[in-house]
Amino acid sequence: MTRSERAMQVWQILIGAAHNRQTLTYGQVAEHLEFEGAGVLAPILGCIMSYCEAKNLPPLTCLVVNKTTGLPGAGLTTVEDLPTEREAVYNQNWFAMYPVQIPDLESHA
């Protein structure tokens, strides 16, 4: 499966979490994808982060956090004020948007 295809899967997981006002650990996201570990998520989340930034959307990837710290990893470079931006993610009506497609994510992979 390509990075953009995996990003599409993670996108669906994250918009569901946003709708429910949840954060997910890297391990939980990896488990949804049946990955052995969370270490492979960085490029996939980077694709989503880049897409959100390019489309002027709230940073959906700020919902994925480290199990120990409760914070996103250092690779989340598009967030300046985590509580405010996470609230924007929760308040965005992701399901009302035209669904993101794999080709939309390919240029950000």
Side-chain angles (χ1 to χ4, degrees):
M1 199 173 282
T2 68
R3 184 177 298 162
S4 54
E5 289 168 339
R6 287 292 189 191
M8 183 75 245
Q9 290 178 307
V10 173
W11 179 275
Q12 297 302 318
I13 293 165
L14 294 182
I15 65 171
H19 178 77
N20 292 316
R21 299 183 64 82
Q22 297 173 308
T23 58
L24 299 171
T25 66
Y26 291 99
Q28 288 172 313
V29 174
E31 188 175 303
H32 281 304
L33 299 172
E34 297 184 348
F35 286 172
E36 292 296 321
V40 297
L41 290 175
I44 296 166
L45 292 170
C47 176
I48 295 170
M49 180 179 67
S50 174
Y51 178 82
C52 287
E53 185 175 38
K55 298 298 181 182
N56 202 26
L57 292 168
L60 192 54
T61 52
C62 76
L63 300 184
V64 185
V65 300
N66 178 287
K67 180 181 176 180
T68 303
T69 66
L71 298 171
L76 182 62
T77 59
T78 59
V79 172
E80 293 180 23
D81 179 358
L82 181 60
T84 299
E85 296 192 49
R86 185 171 287 155
E87 199 59 34
V89 170
Y90 291 150
N91 291 328
Q92 175 73 33
N93 190 351
W94 299 97
F95 292 112
M97 295 171 44
Y98 184 80
V100 172
Q101 305 294 308
I102 292 168
D104 299 330
L105 297 168
E106 284 176 348
S107 63
H108 301 278

